[in-house]
């Protein structure tokens, strides 16, 4: 973007993450703490398929968090006109996860790009709300096929206990590793891929 404006309440980290998601980029770091900017690997084959129709997975549990109070049925993004009164724009998008009119609408202002970017900004506004759907996978292993499991991959899951009756793809945004001489554990922090792709998802609970 030639012009980008941070929200007054945003930290530097939150601002960089928000901008990176608008370009389908994942921010991670290496073992030295240096930042790494990587294109989101959304189209790859899931590295793990969790299908509870085939039985439970030993040493693995799931926690699905759906914060519906932070989501809206309609999201409208408005581009303010420039000093000459031109380049104004307005776009609206529907959030498929919100059926109730109680959380009916949200209006926000486009802070980066011009009127040609308003549709993209609207999709990103929806993507930001989709971050309120989070899956945490707690597992007792770091290794898969003799390699350490890393972020920027996808997994699939079918779990009726989570109301996920069809195969659903989640994107591993980050991983927390813990371990000692006797035990290793990891938490995969996942979101739906549309958080990064900017596409409108189908309702995964239908």
């Amino acid at each position: 973007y030639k012009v980008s404006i941070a929200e007054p309440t945003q930290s530097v980290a939150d601002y960089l993450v928000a901008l990176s998601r608008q370009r389908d980029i994942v921010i991670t770091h290496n073992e030295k703490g240096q930042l790494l900017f990587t294109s989101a690997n959304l189209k790859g084959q899931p590295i793990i398929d969790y299908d509870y129709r085939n039985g439970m997975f030993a040493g693995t549990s799931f926690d699905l968090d759906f914060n519906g109070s932070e989501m809206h049925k309609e999201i409208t993004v408005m581009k303010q006109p420039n000093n000459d009164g031109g380049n104004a724009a307005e776009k609206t998008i529907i959030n498929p996860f919100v059926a109730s009119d109680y959380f009916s609408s949200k209006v926000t202002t486009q802070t980066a790009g011009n009127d040609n970017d308003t549709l993209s900004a609207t999709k990103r506004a929806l993507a930001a709300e989709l971050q309120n759907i989070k899956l945490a996978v707690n597992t007792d292993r770091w290794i898969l096929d003799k390699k350490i499991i890393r972020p920027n991959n996808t997994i699939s899951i079918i779990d009726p206990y989570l109301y996920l009756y069809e195969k659903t793809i989640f994107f591993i945004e980050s991983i927390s590793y813990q371990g000692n001489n006797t035990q290793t554990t990891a938490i995969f922090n996942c979101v739906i891929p549309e958080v990064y792709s900017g596409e409108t998802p189908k309702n995964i609970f239908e």
Side-chain angles (χ1 to χ4, degrees):
Y1 295 116
K2 293 182 179 179
V3 178
S4 180
I5 303 172
E7 298 293 336
T9 57
Q10 277 185 308
S11 67
V12 173
D14 289 342
Y15 181 58
L16 289 176
V17 169
L19 286 181
S20 68
R21 283 176 174 154
Q22 294 176 26
R23 290 292 184 256
D24 302 339
I25 293 173
V26 180
I27 298 180
T28 58
H29 61 81
N30 59 20
E31 63 277 4
K32 297 181 180 179
Q34 298 169 322
L35 287 178
L36 297 176
F37 296 84
T38 308
S39 296
N41 178 26
L42 304 175
K43 301 298 184 182
Q45 189 74 13
I47 61 172
I48 305 175
D49 293 303
Y50 296 108
D51 187 345
Y52 269 61
R53 297 174 301 179
N54 300 326
M56 303 290 286
F57 282 83
T60 301
S61 62
F62 303 91
D63 182 15
L64 181 62
D65 181 27
F66 184 93
N67 185 9
S69 64
E70 294 297 322
M71 304 177 81
H72 301 83
K73 187 173 183 178
E74 293 185 355
I75 305 171
T76 298
V77 174
M78 301 180 66
K79 171 68 174 65
Q80 299 294 335
N82 58 24
N83 294 334
D84 298 326
N87 294 325
E90 178 179 319
K91 297 290 183 181
T92 298
I93 197 167
I94 303 297
N95 186 338
F97 290 98
V98 181
S100 172
D101 289 331
Y102 182 77
F103 303 105
S104 58
S105 63
K106 175 183 178 181
V107 178
T108 186
T109 301
Q110 181 180 336
T111 58
N114 55 37
D115 55 317
N116 294 323
D117 300 308
T118 303
L119 178 59
S120 176
T122 306
K123 292 180 177 180
R124 296 304 171 183
L126 172 60
E129 292 208 350
L130 297 178
Q131 296 171 45
N132 290 292
I133 305 171
K134 298 178 181 179
L135 175 70
V137 181
N138 301 271
T139 185
D140 61 357
R141 64 208 68 181
W142 290 8
I143 306 297
L144 178 68
D145 295 332
K146 299 181 181 181
K147 295 181 180 179
I148 294 179
I149 302 170
R150 297 189 180 278
N152 199 22
N153 284 293
T154 58
I155 61 172
S156 71
I157 180 171
I158 299 175
D159 187 352
Y161 294 101
L162 299 177
Y163 303 101
L164 300 175
Y165 300 102
E166 302 292 334
K167 184 175 181 179
T168 304
I169 303 297
F170 280 89
F171 177 71
I172 305 176
E173 192 172 40
S174 65
I175 300 179
S176 300
Y177 304 95
Q178 292 185 344
N180 52 39
N181 292 334
T182 60
Q183 180 179 339
T184 60
T185 61
I187 301 175
F188 307 161
N189 302 298
C190 308
V191 295
I192 60 176
E194 289 80 5
V195 168
Y196 283 87
S197 71
E199 299 301 319
T200 301
K202 72 180 185 75
N203 190 329
I204 60 176
F205 302 109
E206 294 180 345

